Amino acid sequence: MSKLLRLFNTVKYLKFTQIYFRLFYFVRVRFRRASGFKYSFAKESVSTHLNLIDSCEYYSTHKDGEFSMLNLSKKFDDKIDWNYSEYGKLWTYNLTYFEYLKEKEDVNLIYDFIENIESVKDGLEPFPISLRGINWIKFLTKYEIKDKKIDDSLYAQYYILLDNLEYHLLGNHLLENGFSLLFGAYYFQDEILYKKAQEILKKELDEQILDDGAHFELSPMYHQLMLFRVLDCINIIENGEWRIENETLLDFLKDKAILMLQWLNVITYENGDVPLFNDSANCIAPTTKELTEYANRLKINFQFSIFNSQLKQSGYRKIKKENYECVVDVGEVGASYIPGHAHADTFNFELYIKSPITNYQSPFIVDSGLSTYNTGDKRDFERSTKAHNTVEINETNSSEVWGGFRVANRANIIEVVEKESYLKATHDGYNKKFEVLHTRSWIFEDDKIIINDTLNKQCKAVARLHFHPDVTKEDIKEKIITNHKLQITNYNYAPEFNKTIKSLVVEIPFKKELKVEINI
């Protein structure tokens, strides 16, 4: 019964569109299987030459037959297994994204994929088709490769994508479909692909980019990825030499890019890092510096501002003093109908302190990060309240994260009070189960931060602070002051996929009220 209730509390947030297309695709695949339906993997095409300016580099590599992605490498002894699954589905996806195309001779990898396309499984899902389409077009354009076999295969894949758009998921998945369809439209000068791309991009970017410029899934990493795609689309429209007589989509995309650049530059630390809130990891998306430079090459000008008002819709607050930067999460779980990348981290925060060596802010208190999308104990832990810099009550998550990418009951923000150098908020994530409300306040002084946690009734509570690997026990004892007993133990800091580093975490048990001072 509890599992059914959890499922109901998850599904009730879905949009009608998601439910309809889940049912539609479910029925259609069974009907097609019974009727023997098969897609064609080649479609007669005529491609056009594009002149794209330099974009941003990817992290994936291929050298001497070895593929390296997500900190995992694989060398295929005989032939490439495009369905290789021992590293998990995300690695398989990345294998078929083709982000490792660097040198002209890498075209042989495209030929190999085409030769084996009928046996490809995960790589023919709409998401990898979308990314692969963009990356093939960038590569073919860069090296001026004109190959009918590749073009016909790519064109067929675009029509498979068009038949399987991710309306059942929405969010960044549908946006990636739209971005890629625009690439396909310009490469093949295809009006059908263009109209669907324009429809998706205008609708979804209006919904997914909040008024403060944040992407509504509230992951700085996904924000960078979506901004990267918006800039790519501006690039292809301006340099595609097609539809230039009436291109209102270009102005629309530039407006969104400016908003997104403003938000990203506000939330980015002085040293170039972004907070690893929700599903965020380093070495996946282009950095803020790289994206800003890309925007500059596209002649997109934006005003940099540090006002907190630029972060309010996303629920983040950036406090910057001479000796530290602090980013705080007092927002809702987002987005409500696609929270797959959300964590149970309400009132989480990160703190960077100025280093006397570099004179830049260095990480001190950090989000514990993200190392895997594989469903299991590690994924459950990394999304849990226990893995974040906030308060866990009765060994329970503040929002009910489950199943790798699901959220049932979730914490709601019921009050936010803000003054200069002061922030207080209350959430109800524990109210249904324990009738407990959690209120946290931060006082930001020049040389210290004072955090007060208050519960409306006594219970078993633990506040945690996760530290960067460079922070020692001596640093913690010097800077963390409280009248409660604290325990220093270890946790696995995950700054990148498939990479963890033993680091220190402070656990502070309390029953109703807790005061912690962080000396800068």
Side-chain angles (χ1 to χ4, degrees):
M1 183 63 184
S2 62
K3 289 185 178 179
L4 287 174
L5 184 61
R6 184 180 67 181
L7 181 61
F8 171 76
N9 286 327
T10 303
V11 172
K12 70 182 182 182
Y13 292 97
L14 296 179
K15 286 191 167 188
F16 173 78
T17 299
Q18 291 171 290
I19 297 171
Y20 171 82
F21 275 95
R22 283 169 192 264
L23 293 172
F24 173 74
Y25 287 147
F26 178 83
V27 172
R28 190 183 71 175
V29 73
R30 280 149 184 80
F31 176 79
R32 286 181 168 180
R33 191 178 297 152
S35 64
F37 172 86
K38 288 186 178 181
Y39 284 112
S40 170
F41 293 112
K43 181 177 174 63
E44 185 67 27
S45 68
V46 178
S47 64
T48 187
H49 179 71
L50 301 173
N51 294 292
L52 302 179
I53 69 167
D54 288 341
S55 181
C56 299
E57 288 293 320
Y58 292 111
Y59 296 93
S60 299
T61 63
H62 173 264
K63 188 175 182 180
D64 299 327
E66 184 174 58
F67 295 89
S68 296
M69 299 165 291
L70 306 173
N71 290 310
L72 295 172
S73 297
K74 174 64 180 176
K75 188 169 186 176
F76 297 101
D77 294 329
D78 183 17
K79 52 184 275 186
I80 300 170
D81 179 3
W82 296 105
N83 299 310
Y84 184 78
S85 60
E86 289 187 24
Y87 292 157
K89 188 167 183 172
L90 184 62
W91 200 92
T92 311
Y93 266 14
N94 275 262
L95 180 64
T96 64
Y97 291 166
F98 282 79
E99 291 179 349
Y100 42 75
L101 294 174
K102 300 287 196 301
E103 306 299 331
K104 188 171 184 178
E105 55 266 27
D106 290 339
V107 71
N108 292 318
L109 299 172
I110 296 179
Y111 291 139
D112 190 280
F113 183 86
I114 293 171
E115 288 296 324
N116 293 281
I117 194 168
E118 291 191 30
S119 65
V120 172
K121 297 174 183 176
D122 293 342
L124 286 178
E125 292 180 17
F127 194 79
I129 290 177
S130 297
L131 272 62
R132 182 166 60 251
I134 292 173
N135 294 326
W136 281 14
I137 290 171
K138 284 183 177 181
F139 175 77
L140 296 171
T141 297
K142 179 178 179 179
Y143 290 106
E144 298 184 345
I145 296 172
K146 188 81 168 175
D147 188 294
K148 191 74 164 59
K149 184 176 182 179
I150 295 175
D151 286 348
D152 286 357
S153 174
L154 179 57
Y155 201 34
Q157 290 176 59
Y158 266 116
Y159 271 81
I160 294 172
L161 171 61
L162 192 64
D163 196 41
N164 293 275
L165 295 170
E166 293 175 280
Y167 287 108
H168 60 300
L169 295 176
L170 299 177
N172 74 82
H173 277 251
L174 185 59
L175 257 185
E176 290 282 21
N177 299 165
F179 293 139
S180 191
L181 287 174
L182 190 71
F183 264 71
Y186 272 81
Y187 187 66
F188 294 111
Q189 295 195 351
D190 185 302
E191 201 65 42
I192 294 174
L193 298 183
Y194 178 83
K195 286 180 179 177
K196 180 53 71 172
Q198 179 176 241
E199 173 194 315
I200 291 173
L201 294 180
K202 286 193 171 181
K203 182 179 186 302
E204 294 302 318
L205 284 171
D206 268 342
E207 180 163 352
Q208 294 189 37
I209 305 307
L210 304 177
D211 290 344
D212 64 2
H215 182 254
F216 76 159
E217 292 184 54
L218 305 181
S219 153
M221 179 188 79
Y222 276 95
H223 179 98
Q224 289 173 314
L225 289 171
M226 295 303 99
L227 173 57
F228 181 27
R229 298 297 182 217
V230 171
L231 296 176
D232 273 346
C233 287
I234 292 169
N235 190 353
I236 202 164
I237 292 174
E238 288 195 320
N239 297 289
E241 299 180 0
W242 183 58
R243 300 187 61 90
I244 56 177
E245 73 285 350
N246 182 27
E247 193 44 77
T248 59
L249 182 59
L250 178 60
D251 293 334
F252 173 82
L253 291 171
K254 284 185 174 180
D255 288 343
K256 295 301 180 185
I258 289 169
L259 262 180
M260 296 175 78
L261 283 160
Q262 288 172 333
W263 185 89
L264 181 59
N265 275 273
V266 169
I267 208 167
T268 299
Y269 297 109
E270 273 187 8
N271 72 346
D273 292 350
V274 294
L276 297 184
F277 291 156
N278 293 309
D279 276 351
S280 291
N282 297 314
C283 299
I284 296 294
T287 65
T288 301
K289 181 176 184 289
E290 290 168 337
L291 290 166
T292 302
E293 290 173 349
Y294 187 17
N296 289 337
R297 292 196 296 275
L298 291 168
K299 296 181 171 54
I300 297 172
N301 300 310
F302 68 98
Q303 296 289 324
F304 175 73
S305 173
I306 194 60
F307 294 117
N308 268 334
S309 61
Q310 289 213 359
L311 300 181
K312 282 190 175 179
Q313 287 78 20
S314 54
Y316 294 130
R317 302 294 187 272
K318 171 82 169 285
I319 294 84
K320 186 173 173 63
K321 301 283 187 178
E322 183 178 349
N323 293 316
Y324 68 86
E325 294 174 279
C326 186
V327 181
V328 175
D329 180 1
V330 290
E332 306 282 354
V333 169
S336 62
Y337 58 87
I338 181 171
H341 297 297
H343 292 194
D345 63 348
T346 306
F347 299 166
N348 186 28
F349 72 99
E350 285 193 340
L351 174 64
Y352 276 44
I353 295 176
K354 182 174 284 188
S355 166
I357 299 173
T358 65
N359 210 34
Y360 277 109
Q361 322 290 19
S362 297
F364 183 63
I365 295 174
V366 293
D367 187 290
S368 60
L370 165 69
S371 70
T372 184
Y373 276 169
N374 295 337
T375 302
D377 291 343
K378 184 180 285 189
R379 172 70 172 157
D380 291 343
F381 174 77
E382 290 177 352
R383 297 181 78 204
S384 72
T385 302
K386 185 176 183 178
H388 296 88
N389 304 310
T390 186
V391 172
E392 179 193 47
I393 292 173
N394 295 335
E395 300 179 341
T396 303
N397 290 327
S398 57
S399 291
E400 197 176 0
V401 293
W402 67 281
F405 295 92
R406 304 284 183 266
V407 186
N409 284 317
R410 67 257 335 238
N412 298 295
I413 306 299
I414 58 177
E415 180 190 40
V416 177
V417 177
E418 295 182 75
K419 300 175 185 176
E420 186 176 354
S421 298
Y422 176 82
L423 176 62
K424 183 178 80 170
T426 300
H427 81 78
D428 66 357
Y430 296 106
N431 194 45
K432 276 188 178 180
K433 192 169 279 191
F434 306 117
E435 297 183 342
V436 173
L437 298 176
H438 174 207
T439 299
R440 169 170 276 191
S441 68
W442 294 261
I443 301 171
F444 301 98
E445 299 182 1
D446 290 340
D447 59 352
K448 73 172 65 172
I449 298 173
I450 303 168
I451 301 175
N452 291 292
D453 288 300
T454 305
L455 311 177
N456 63 325
K457 71 177 191 180
Q458 287 195 357
C459 59
K460 181 182 177 182
V462 180
R464 292 183 177 86
L465 299 173
H466 296 80
F467 295 89
H468 188 268
D470 293 341
V471 177
T472 65
K473 283 188 178 181
E474 290 69 29
D475 295 330
I476 293 171
K477 290 175 180 177
E478 176 188 345
K479 295 184 181 300
I480 306 301
I481 308 299
T482 180
N483 57 1
H484 285 66
K485 183 180 179 180
L486 61 81
Q487 178 183 2
I488 302 177
T489 184
N490 293 312
Y491 82 101
N492 288 319
Y493 175 57
E496 301 173 20
F497 275 96
N498 301 302
K499 179 180 180 179
T500 59
I501 307 169
K502 283 290 183 190
S503 306
L504 299 174
V505 56
V506 161
E507 296 185 341
I508 312 172
F510 70 102
K511 292 184 177 179
K512 190 174 182 183
E513 294 184 352
L514 173 66
K515 179 180 179 180
V516 176
E517 292 187 10
I518 305 171
N519 292 321
I520 308 301

